[in-house]
Amino acid sequence: MSNKLFEQWTAGDRRKIAFVISGPSGAGKSAVINRVLTEIPDLAYSVSYTTRPCRENEQEGIDYFYISRKEFQRLLAQGDILEHVEYMDALYGTSKSHINRLFAQGVDVILNIDVTGANTLRTNDTLDFPLVYIFLTSPSLDTLRSRLKQRGTEDKEIIERRLAEAMREMEMIHLFDYLLINDSLEQTVAETKAIIIAERRRIRTWRT
Ligand code: 5GP
């Protein structure tokens, strides 16, 4: 009797997955992602390019690749940016080469991008890896406002602009695979981990 069928499904390496986490600014995407990255093995963060300045608590190459508008345009023309948006007067874009490097290392990746960017990826049928779309939001607009205020990194006008943007983003929830309501960080981290673990076992990811 041949062992081929077993080998095909058990020895064969599964395709690596991109987990896309989107949702309003202030909903807690970064906090959830940071925890999940320390608790789930073989998962790495997709570091985006941005033209916005580095915040005090951030690091080059860890939170973002901070680049000029000119450099951003050059990478865009080169085809290294899978999707990009202009958000709050800055450009943000997903690095194709960075994600490919991570996949080559044998890990899944987790992206923290806005809803427009997630939608651009969703409608791009040339991507040759599985993507899972997770929408993360806070329980209410008031919670979002107080979380943005607590963060203390933005002034009042920017907070109001981010809230208006959040309302537009909430209208796109139906385009996502999963919805997480971040009431408690512990619970949301547990649910995100559950999604990742289940998606890694999905049959379609085992086909090369
Ligand atoms: P922040 O300036 O607070 O780090 O990020 C602002 C927003 O930009 C967040 O909603 C974040 O998810 C989004 N963002 C960060 N990187 C990217 C990216 O590469 N592409 C897109 N579309 N959005 C991004």
Side-chain angles (χ1 to χ4, degrees):
M1 219 184 289
S2 162
N3 198 27
K4 260 211 171 105
L5 246 184
F6 275 87
E7 281 169 6
Q8 181 189 341
W9 291 99
T10 59
D13 200 13
R14 68 166 174 81
R15 294 192 298 165
K16 300 301 172 240
I17 310 167
F19 293 95
V20 179
I21 313 261
S22 269
S25 176
K29 281 174 293 180
S30 302
V32 171
I33 290 173
N34 289 340
R35 273 281 302 277
V36 167
L37 282 168
T38 64
E39 294 178 26
I40 288 254
D42 302 323
L43 183 70
Y45 187 58
S46 158
V47 180
S48 291
Y49 298 117
T50 186
T51 63
R52 83 149 163 75
C54 185
R55 292 186 191 133
E56 224 170 65
N57 54 343
E58 293 178 342
Q59 268 178 281
E60 159 71 25
I62 305 265
D63 298 284
Y64 285 103
F65 299 117
Y66 302 91
I67 58 174
S68 66
R69 271 192 180 251
K70 202 169 164 203
E71 178 68 359
F72 197 100
Q73 296 301 346
R74 195 184 63 77
L75 292 165
L76 200 58
Q78 259 181 18
D80 184 34
I81 296 186
L82 279 181
E83 62 69 38
H84 73 287
V85 285
E86 175 117 34
Y87 181 87
M88 303 288 147
D89 308 320
L91 292 166
Y92 295 82
T94 301
S95 166
K96 184 176 172 181
S97 54
H98 178 63
I99 290 185
N100 283 337
R101 268 195 307 274
L102 296 174
F103 281 158
Q105 289 167 15
V107 297
D108 295 312
V109 298
I110 191 159
L111 284 72
N112 174 351
I113 66 176
D114 87 322
V115 172
T116 308
N119 212 24
T120 306
L121 292 181
R122 206 181 50 82
T123 52
N124 179 345
D125 52 17
T126 68
L127 299 178
D128 59 354
F129 49 87
L131 293 111
V132 176
Y133 296 92
I134 303 170
F135 193 100
L136 178 83
T137 190
S138 60
S140 72
L141 191 60
D142 285 344
T143 330
L144 210 56
R145 181 178 286 114
S146 60
R147 282 186 192 164
L148 283 172
K149 275 186 190 156
Q150 256 170 34
R151 194 150 82 178
T153 48
E154 279 103 356
D155 65 29
K156 218 172 162 194
E157 187 210 320
I158 294 189
I159 289 178
E160 286 311 313
R161 279 172 71 193
R162 289 199 174 215
L163 288 173
E165 186 65 32
M167 297 308 286
R168 276 192 291 279
E169 295 190 321
M170 293 292 289
E171 285 173 10
M172 314 275 268
I173 292 181
H174 62 285
L175 299 172
F176 284 73
D177 298 315
Y178 294 95
L179 171 61
L180 296 175
I181 296 162
N182 190 15
D183 208 358
S184 120
L185 182 65
E186 288 307 315
Q187 179 71 15
T188 308
V189 167
E191 290 181 10
T192 310
K193 285 166 68 180
I195 293 168
I196 294 171
I197 291 164
E199 288 290 340
R200 283 178 165 176
R201 289 285 170 243
R202 209 184 255 282
I203 302 284
R204 72 176 171 128
T205 68
W206 291 78
R207 299 204 193 98
T208 49

